Amino acid sequence: MADQFEPNNQASDEIDLGQLLKLIKSGFKSIGNFFLRVFIYLRRNSIKLIGLVILGVAISFGLTQIISKKLKTDVIVRPNFESKNYLFDVVDEVAANIKAKNEGYFDAMNIAIEDLKGFTIAVEAIETDEVKTDDSELNEMKYLEVLENFKDESFVIDILRSELSEKSVIDYKITFTYKDLQTGPAIVEKLMTYINTNEYFNDLKAVYNENAQARIEENLQLVKQVDELVANYSKSLLSEKQKSGSEVVYMEKENTLNVPSLLNMKNDLLKEVKVKKLEITQQNGVLSILNFGKTQQVKKSFFNQTYFLIPTLLVIGFLMISFLKYLNRKAKEIE
């Protein structure tokens, strides 16, 4: 009985395999026919498609002649006195008044509302692109371990202060965009003057500068006293040496002076004076302007340019219309 069923099963497998090969062949043939139809369609309509591309380029060229190009100025700033929130609030305030065309608001800055047509303002944080890896974190740990061995040295404190300041401070970019090359830069300067002027922060700046200047004067006075102490001590040593007539001078304990300690203190005082002078120079306003950029043209990405966008839209529109006509024709055949 088993011998009788074996030939039938083999014939069935051969039929199934043959049908599968026919289906695969039919599928490849259908795909080939599809590409041929697409090629024939493009060949028949090539003149129309090329004409649409040329028309789109011509329209784009005409628009670029009519529509003025956008210009911009980038200003990189660093907030002082914890004024980050103020920076975002005042930029939003200016942007809202530009949108509302508030004449009274801009009259105080001597800015004509007509000159603000097409003018925009925005602010964003400048984030660092540094990527932390396992190797970089391991190197930082080793670096801190090395610094720990010199924790009693004064230079370690300066290094840590510098590293913490660099990692905690974030700069911001204020972007002004406008159309008129004549009035735009002048408006940017007036708006930056307004943004960088605030009654509360101006008072705070005055107190900071006053305290820093007082600390500088105190430190310089202490440095002067240290110099006098060291100079007097040197004179006393020289006097004792001349009295004794010996190269070696023995001073009583109460008359000795720790000169190295005084010199270290003098160095620390002078370092603090430099830091305070730097703070006064940097914190000369609510915002420290790191770079006041020049006027430049706004660059658009390739896919946003009219020379690419308009021809593409015309070609896609033509293809959609052709496809709808094809569907309509097929629908009538079914009916």
Side-chain angles (χ1 to χ4, degrees):
M1 293 294 292
D3 295 339
Q4 294 177 358
F5 283 109
E6 185 175 352
N8 293 334
N9 290 337
Q10 185 175 1
S12 177
D13 291 340
E14 291 178 355
I15 293 173
D16 292 340
L17 181 59
Q19 290 177 345
L20 178 61
L21 291 174
K22 287 181 179 179
L23 288 174
I24 294 174
K25 185 178 180 181
S26 176
F28 277 112
K29 186 176 181 181
S30 299
I31 295 173
N33 290 336
F34 171 76
F35 281 109
L36 285 174
R37 290 192 183 100
V38 171
F39 174 75
I40 293 171
Y41 172 81
L42 293 176
R43 188 182 63 182
R44 287 177 179 175
N45 297 277
S46 58
I47 297 177
K48 293 180 180 179
L49 293 173
I50 293 173
L52 288 173
V53 172
I54 295 173
L55 177 63
V57 172
I59 293 173
S60 301
F61 178 77
L63 289 176
T64 56
Q65 300 302 314
I66 297 172
I67 301 174
S68 58
K69 297 178 180 179
K70 279 279 189 179
L71 305 172
K72 73 172 182 175
T73 298
D74 291 330
V75 182
I76 299 176
V77 299
R78 178 174 296 170
N80 296 321
F81 320 116
E82 299 180 357
S83 58
K84 181 188 73 173
N85 293 334
Y86 162 77
L87 172 61
F88 281 90
D89 288 342
V90 73
V91 168
D92 289 342
E93 171 194 308
V94 173
N97 281 280
I98 291 174
K99 187 177 181 180
K101 299 181 180 179
N102 188 345
E103 293 185 12
Y105 180 83
F106 292 104
D107 283 343
M109 305 179 209
N110 195 23
I111 298 174
I113 199 70
E114 295 82 10
D115 295 335
L116 290 172
K117 186 177 181 181
F119 199 100
T120 62
I121 180 174
V123 62
E124 61 178 342
I126 302 177
E127 301 289 349
T128 58
D129 297 330
E130 182 181 0
V131 179
K132 289 287 186 180
T133 62
D134 294 338
D135 292 338
S136 62
E137 291 181 355
L138 182 61
N139 291 333
E140 285 186 3
M141 293 297 297
K142 291 180 179 179
Y143 180 61
L144 292 175
E145 289 176 0
V146 171
L147 288 179
E148 188 178 4
N149 297 328
F150 301 93
K151 59 184 178 181
D152 296 331
E153 301 293 335
S154 59
F155 71 87
V156 175
I157 299 176
D158 296 333
I159 293 174
L160 292 177
R161 184 187 292 114
S162 175
E163 290 289 335
L164 291 174
S165 176
E166 183 179 350
K167 292 181 181 300
S168 61
V169 174
I170 298 178
D171 298 330
Y172 297 85
K173 180 172 69 175
I174 307 175
T175 301
F176 302 88
T177 58
Y178 44 90
K179 295 181 179 179
D180 195 331
L181 181 60
Q182 302 299 324
T183 60
I187 294 174
V188 171
E189 290 185 2
K190 292 176 181 179
L191 288 177
M192 279 305 304
T193 301
Y194 172 76
I195 291 172
N196 209 13
T197 304
N198 178 274
E199 185 177 354
Y200 168 75
F201 287 108
N202 285 343
D203 294 340
L204 194 62
K205 180 189 70 173
V207 173
Y208 266 88
N209 290 345
E210 183 179 350
N211 292 341
Q213 191 62 43
R215 190 58 180 266
I216 289 173
E217 294 175 0
E218 291 174 1
N219 284 5
L220 292 177
Q221 187 64 30
L222 289 173
V223 168
K224 184 178 179 181
Q225 292 177 6
V226 169
D227 289 339
E228 291 177 354
L229 284 173
V230 174
N232 291 334
Y233 184 69
S234 299
K235 289 180 182 179
S236 63
L237 282 178
L238 182 60
S239 176
E240 290 293 331
K241 179 180 177 181
Q242 291 174 350
K243 288 180 181 179
S244 63
S246 174
E247 293 294 331
V248 180
V249 178
Y250 296 95
M251 300 289 291
E252 295 181 2
K253 186 175 181 180
E254 58 271 12
N255 293 330
T256 58
L257 190 68
N258 192 344
V259 176
S261 178
L262 286 175
L263 293 177
N264 287 334
M265 184 178 72
K266 176 184 175 181
N267 290 333
D268 292 338
L269 292 171
L270 291 176
K271 285 180 182 179
E272 190 175 9
V273 167
K274 293 178 181 178
V275 171
K276 292 300 180 184
K277 286 183 177 180
L278 185 61
E279 287 180 0
I280 293 175
T281 302
Q282 290 178 335
Q283 299 177 353
N284 57 353
V286 181
L287 308 170
S288 293
I289 299 178
L290 306 184
N291 180 55
F292 204 116
K294 302 296 182 182
T295 301
Q296 57 180 307
Q297 185 177 339
V298 177
K299 295 180 180 179
K300 296 181 180 180
S301 64
F302 177 74
F303 292 100
N304 287 333
Q305 293 181 359
T306 55
Y307 283 103
F308 175 84
L309 184 61
I310 294 179
T312 302
L313 291 176
L314 290 176
V315 171
I316 291 175
F318 177 78
L319 295 176
M320 291 294 295
I321 292 173
S322 298
F323 182 68
L324 290 174
K325 287 182 179 180
Y326 172 77
L327 292 179
N328 187 47
R329 187 171 64 253
K330 290 295 181 182
K332 288 181 178 181
E333 291 177 359
I334 294 174
E335 291 177 354

